[in-house]
Amino acid sequence: MKKIFITTGTEHYLRQLMANYTGENVTLLQNYSQSLLYQESSGEKLFQEGAEYRVLQSSGSLKGYGIVVFEYIQLRDEEIPIFLQMYQRASLHFADTNGLQSTKLTKSMNTNKFLIISFWDSEIFFHEWKKTPLHKEIMNIMKKNNTQVGFSHEDIYHYPEFSHDAK
């Protein structure tokens, strides 16, 4: 079973941690307010602290540049089947989405918190996706089914080696 592990801290501290994990699948991601280490593995987590998610669905491949969007969604038990069905239907269109490199649907190991991780060529492509009819339909379905949309939020991170948008 593939898992995602995330830990946060100062850039300096996380770079020190990364030095201990050479050869491991660990990536430093940053935005204007925080830095995090992202590990994807079928093995054990490397970090002592942080969040742990089980990968439910994954598509695409990473290019090693651009931005990463983390969308957190807290659901009630009865909302999970509706959400999973909606995500499955939306994922059929991901291959046709401009600038989208990869997506991962994950679920917290301890709660009904879901994390959708999407990797984009640039922030421009992500904001264009949010204007599409499919994205609007997803948001409407979530509102209609009383999904706790108000408890969802997104964080956008950049690869440090790539601090500006790709063209």
Side-chain angles (χ1 to χ4, degrees):
M1 166 183 16
K2 263 229 163 132
K3 293 181 185 174
I4 303 288
F5 306 101
I6 300 168
T7 193
T8 59
T10 65
E11 177 185 356
H12 178 75
Y13 173 71
L14 295 179
R15 285 193 184 276
Q16 287 178 330
L17 277 180
M18 273 188 72
N20 298 330
Y21 306 130
T22 13
E24 300 289 340
N25 190 12
V26 176
T27 305
L28 175 67
L29 301 172
Q30 298 175 293
N31 65 19
Y32 298 107
S33 62
Q34 67 180 358
S35 300
L36 65 80
L37 286 181
Y38 172 91
Q39 176 197 4
E40 187 172 334
S41 175
S42 297
E44 295 298 313
K45 71 177 178 177
L46 300 174
F47 319 128
Q48 290 181 3
E49 295 181 16
E52 183 176 338
Y53 295 87
R54 180 171 41 105
V55 177
L56 302 177
Q57 185 177 334
S58 181
S59 66
S61 59
L62 303 180
K63 297 179 182 176
Y65 66 85
I67 66 155
V68 183
V69 179
F70 288 55
E71 296 177 277
Y72 297 90
I73 302 166
Q74 183 73 40
L75 299 172
R76 296 184 301 255
D77 288 340
E78 63 273 14
E79 296 171 324
I80 293 173
I82 296 165
F83 171 75
L84 292 176
Q85 181 181 19
M86 180 180 47
Y87 185 88
Q88 182 63 36
R89 194 176 72 213
S91 70
L92 299 174
H93 302 280
F94 289 160
D96 302 326
T97 303
N98 287 334
L100 180 61
Q101 298 175 18
S102 175
T103 61
K104 300 185 184 311
L105 173 63
T106 70
K107 182 182 181 300
S108 169
M109 299 297 285
N110 306 322
T111 66
N112 284 344
K113 185 178 193 177
F114 287 79
L115 170 59
I116 300 171
I117 307 169
S118 55
F119 299 81
W120 299 84
D121 290 344
S122 79
E123 200 167 333
I124 294 166
F125 289 111
F126 171 67
H127 289 297
E128 288 300 315
W129 152 250
K130 287 178 68 174
K131 296 176 189 174
T132 64
L134 181 59
H135 186 270
K136 287 181 172 115
E137 179 186 349
I138 290 168
M139 295 311 290
N140 287 337
I141 290 170
M142 290 175 78
K143 288 176 186 173
K144 181 177 141 193
N145 289 297
N146 296 319
T147 302
Q148 298 179 21
V149 176
F151 290 102
S152 68
H153 71 277
E154 65 192 40
D155 293 321
I156 298 175
Y157 294 89
H158 296 262
Y159 288 92
E161 295 77 26
F162 193 84
S163 60
H164 61 281
D165 288 342
K167 301 295 181 219

